[in-house]
Amino acid sequence: MTMKKIVCIIVLVITMSGCESFLDKTDPTATSFTEFFNDEDDLRRVTYSSFYDVFTHHSNRRSLLYMLDGRSDNAYARDFSDHHQAIANGTLNASSIGMEYYYATYMKHVGRLNTYIDNINEPYVENETIRTRYENILKGLRMWHYLRLTFYWGDVPFMLDPANLDDARQPARPKEEILEIIFPMAVEIAEQLPIDEYTSNKYMFNQLSLKAVIMRYALYHERYELAASLAKEIIDSGNYSLHPSYGDLFQYEAASNNNEFIVHLDEESHSGSTTYSFRDLGPHFRTGNGQSYCVPLKSLVDSYWTLQGRPIEDCPLHTKEEYELNPNLNRDPRYEASIMGHGDVFYGEPIDIYNSNNPMFYENQRASKSGYWFKKFVSENDAFRNGNMEYGLLRYAEVLLTYAEAKIMMGEVDALTKECINQVRERAGLDMTVADVNLPSYNSYVQEDWMTLIQNERRVEFAGEGLRYADLLRWRIAEDVLNQPALGHTREENGQMTSLKIEDRTFSSHQYRWPFPESSLKVNPGLKQNPGY
């Protein structure tokens, strides 16, 4: 190893890692460059830490999938230190702690990954197949970071080699130039990975799971042809399928035993330690866990269409007001599987959010300010304990709806497009005598109609799974939905419809791009702030 490379590594560790345990071999996620990649366990440990630090951390609410809806019109996140609240209510700016946290985290890990990848052969694991597999998994993680960085910040510094201080201060590279490099490179990396899921460490990328991540960001970045092609490849592989019971995916009944999760957040991805989804999402029940950190809003509740697949304001069976007052009335079954609130039963006790003697009273310190809770990832088994639930960071249902949306945006609504939508709706339990999109009532649909349908399908299918905020940005509808107050449960008082009000929200057009943190602008003169900040 040359002296220049050693210096680069030392500088990178000190300036970009910020983690004292990084060189501590007693730490299970640490490694040392003087004993670099001597055996497969070193490779596994480095790869594990690269997933865990950012993607599969089981207790970091700033990044956990089920907290991310708190950035959107789906939910309210009450703890300001989790950063989601400031994003949702429009107060994020260049001095926001959250912006520094996310940007520094992604860039730090790009730096670490560049160093890992650059040194994977020095010294080396003799089995080239093993070495190459881990190398490509690490490269896939690096691609994931850049796909997120460009989605939220646009033009960013772009490096695929270890950087010294001068290299790290380079100007941002145009987003489109980065994507022109990243997408074909990412697909090539995926092609070199095994196609089948691993027996152990299944959270690590295989060929199809990495392609599923590329597919997601191809859709986000409006590469519709690529998104549709990758989605169809995953569909045609036959490796994944929709689980028969939608609700069981988010409970112990099927969370660790289904064929739908493609990218896993499972026990192996965090050393088999406990999970906290009940604590973070569930209601405070007597002396048990439950902090109501992220709770659904009225906007999400009202977005669940009817059992027949119609918007609640466009259904001849009941009035919009009747649906608002009773969310369980003739509703898409995904509502009951995903959300609970006033009038429902939890742990054998009726939920009465207006009764001060009820443990779920909405003014309680640890209660839901909206009067609703996510039922997803909240098992009554965990009411008095931390759990060990597994989560799907990316599910097969997203593949189906991605194919459908990409083809709709390309103006090519083919038979498979409709079949993908129907599969998701039928599994959800909709009345397919009305909701089947092959029926004549859908023949007059134009692109705008199909997009209205697919946008709502994505919203209710993935409610509480962290996709909504990115959808608002890429569909450019955040100005419409995040300039409205965050409201909760609705009831009738003295003949008037009233809703619990949580907070006012604002969203300006410049917030479709996130600001670079002030600290990054100071240390990198070549970095220019995004407009409006």
Side-chain angles (χ1 to χ4, degrees), residues 1 4-14 33 115 119:
M1 185 182 294
K4 179 182 178 183
K5 184 171 288 186
I6 293 172
V7 170
C8 288
I9 291 169
I10 293 171
V11 169
L12 190 69
V13 171
I14 294 173
F33 291 120
T115 303
N119 287 271

Side-chain angles (χ1 to χ4, degrees), residues 295-298 353 368-373 487-489 500 502:
V295 296
L297 294 174
K298 170 181 166 61
I353 65 170
S368 166
K369 289 188 176 183
S370 73
Y372 292 105
W373 291 265
L487 302 177
H489 184 264
L500 297 176
I502 302 173

Side-chain angles (χ1 to χ4, degrees), residues 18 24 68 102 125 148 181 200 215 325 403 433 454 477 509:
D24 179 8
L68 301 185
Y102 291 115
V125 174
R148 294 206 298 189
I181 297 170
S200 62
M215 172 207 74
L325 292 171
Y403 179 84
T433 65
I454 206 73
I477 62 173
S509 59

